[in-house]
Amino acid sequence: MLHVRVITPAALAPEVLKTAVDCHAVANVVRLPGAAVDPAGDCIEFDVAREGANEILADLRAMGLKETGAITIEEIDLSISDGADEAEAAAPGHSEDAVIWEELAARTSAETRLTWSYLVFLALAVQIAAIGALLDQPILIVGAMVLGPDFGPVAAFCFGVMQRDLPLIGRAARTLAVGFAVAIAVTLACAAASRLVGWIEPTMLDDRPLTSFIIHPDRWSFIVAVLAGVAGILSMTARKSQALVGVFISVTTVPAAGNIAVAIALAHWDEVGASLVQLGVNLAGLVVAGIGTLLVQRFLWSRFELGLNASAMSREP
């Protein structure tokens, strides 16, 4: 269940109240007249099943409450209420599978921010991957994959494409491009300095059977990226954050970026091209799978919402 708090002008309060009461996925409706100070108005609170949240949130936005009031949503960890149980039963589907588009929009928008922490984490991940490539150590490659934060902007890009949100697409693409460019540049500088002091040498990239997959992109690279993309989007929409770790380990974006940096520093130009292809193949697989998964989810949940409306109509006297 979700807890929704609405601050509304007093003139709109009856309409908001009716919208909440008439929705069979809603329970525990409370009205506090004149309780809101800034912005001034009434405060209306209620609980709603996740499966029915999209419809009622769309109705509230259509009233202009984003501009004249506020809509706040919180996750409920525990609700002991027969009314809440009935609301969940009235909503078709399961709460674990429900996709709340407003929530996903806010989350993906946050993932497009080009913050210092994003750049630092990506640079650290690419450097660890570069060391793993030099030492032929898969465990370092896996660690770099887990540390990399690049799936967030990929998911935002996919959501932007589905929503036809050009600004979101642009921000996500910029965050990915700038992030990888900065991370590769930092790693390249470190690799060049290491070569100057004799810590690394070109022969270190000649024979590395355990990590050679980084420079051998093939159809399996794309297939794995597609599967990881599906899992990544589902883990975000189903709030299964632990599944994202498996997604990170599955794709070869960060290792490819790390290999690009050391290959440039050690003048292995053929590996630079192969790593660029590997990076492109993985990003393409993630994007294709992400967009496809979101489109399927939108289609399925539109059917569920129709089922909710039909159920509501059948209950009306």
Side-chain angles (χ1 to χ4, degrees):
M1 296 289 288
L2 300 173
H3 181 71
V4 181
R5 186 190 68 200
V6 180
I7 295 177
T8 173
L12 285 176
E15 185 178 358
V16 173
L17 199 62
K18 184 177 186 303
T19 299
V21 171
D22 289 348
C23 180
H24 290 281
V26 168
N28 308 323
V29 182
V30 177
R31 180 181 181 182
L32 303 173
V37 176
D38 185 18
D42 292 358
C43 179
I44 297 175
E45 301 185 8
F46 55 86
D47 301 334
V48 60
R50 287 184 62 89
E51 308 93 302
N54 284 318
E55 181 184 10
I56 195 164
L57 291 177
D59 290 342
L60 293 175
R61 282 185 67 103
M63 297 177 195
L65 292 174
K66 179 182 177 182
E67 295 77 22
T68 60
I71 305 169
T72 305
I73 305 170
E74 297 176 321
E75 192 78 31
I76 298 177
D77 294 326
L78 175 64
S79 178
I80 304 175
S81 164
D82 286 344
D85 293 340
E86 292 173 2
E88 285 192 311
H94 301 283
S95 61
E96 293 81 3
D97 298 328
V99 183
I100 302 176
W101 299 112
E102 293 283 353
E103 179 185 54
L104 187 59
R107 185 172 180 180
T108 54
S109 179
E111 296 288 358
T112 64
R113 296 170 186 162
L114 191 60
T115 62
W116 284 111
S117 60
Y118 172 83
L119 293 174
V120 169
F121 275 117
L122 189 55
L124 291 173
V126 170
Q127 288 187 73
I128 293 173
I131 295 172
L134 288 167
L135 301 180
D136 197 29
Q137 289 292 329
I139 190 65
L140 293 178
I141 298 296
V142 172
M145 288 173 166
V146 175
L147 184 58
D150 52 306
F151 185 76
V154 170
F157 185 92
C158 297
F159 186 72
V161 171
M162 187 196 73
Q163 295 288 88
R164 299 179 183 178
D165 187 340
L166 292 179
L168 180 61
I169 294 172
R171 292 196 304 273
R174 182 199 61 178
T175 299
L176 277 172
V178 173
F180 274 115
V182 169
I184 291 173
V186 170
T187 305
L188 174 58
C190 293
S194 298
R195 185 179 184 183
L196 285 175
V197 299
W199 288 4
I200 64 175
E201 56 186 33
T203 57
M204 297 179 71
L205 293 180
D206 290 342
D207 183 27
R208 42 182 182 140
L210 299 180
T211 57
S212 61
F213 65 91
I214 298 173
I215 55 172
H216 290 101
D218 54 22
R219 61 181 179 275
W220 297 111
S221 301
F222 183 78
I223 291 172
V224 170
V226 167
L227 297 175
V230 173
I233 293 298
L234 289 177
S235 67
M236 291 186 70
T237 57
R239 298 167 297 138
K240 303 291 185 182
S241 58
Q242 67 273 19
L244 278 176
V245 176
V247 173
F248 298 151
I249 296 173
S250 301
V251 293
T252 321
T253 52
V254 167
N259 201 77
I260 290 170
V262 294
I264 293 174
L266 299 178
H268 277 242
W269 305 113
D270 56 334
E271 290 198 12
V272 174
S275 298
L276 281 170
V277 173
Q278 181 73 274
L279 178 59
V281 165
N282 277 267
L283 287 175
L286 290 171
V287 168
V288 169
I291 295 171
T293 302
L294 286 171
L295 288 173
V296 170
Q297 287 183 298
R298 184 170 67 177
F299 172 80
L300 291 177
W301 274 104
S302 66
R303 304 280 78 77
F304 277 131
E305 287 167 357
L306 288 175
L308 178 63
N309 291 336
S311 175
M313 293 178 63
S314 66
R315 296 184 182 206
E316 291 179 357

